[in-house]
Amino acid sequence: MSHHFDTDQAKNDPRLNCCDVYLFEGRSGHTVMVMTSNADAGISSPDAFHPEGLYALRIDTDGDAKEN
């Protein structure tokens, strides 16, 4: 896990700091996604997501460079 506080938004409110996203093949026919966010949870901010934050992940599943 990394501590990427490289935007003003992440510095001002670490609950909005999305650090890393990993995608890998799971069991047959499934993909696993892992995301780290709020790397300093419980230290520099509460250990929760921001109640007004929007965490939207758009994924292309068929290779056409458009979200499905």
Side-chain angles (χ1 to χ4, degrees):
M1 179 171 69
S2 43
H3 296 259
H4 302 295
F5 294 100
D6 53 357
T7 66
D8 288 337
Q9 179 174 293
K11 292 173 190 170
N12 292 332
D13 193 334
R15 295 175 298 173
L16 298 170
N17 185 22
C18 295
C19 298
D20 300 296
V21 175
Y22 302 96
L23 291 170
F24 53 94
E25 187 175 331
R27 67 180 185 203
S28 180
H30 292 80
T31 300
V32 177
M33 185 188 81
V34 178
M35 179 180 81
T36 60
S37 76
N38 197 6
D40 277 353
I43 298 169
S44 64
S45 68
D47 59 352
F49 288 109
H50 193 289
E52 296 177 21
L54 174 62
Y55 304 87
L57 302 168
R58 295 175 175 92
I59 300 172
D60 171 21
T61 59
D62 60 9
D64 66 355
K66 296 179 184 174
E67 67 182 84
N68 297 95

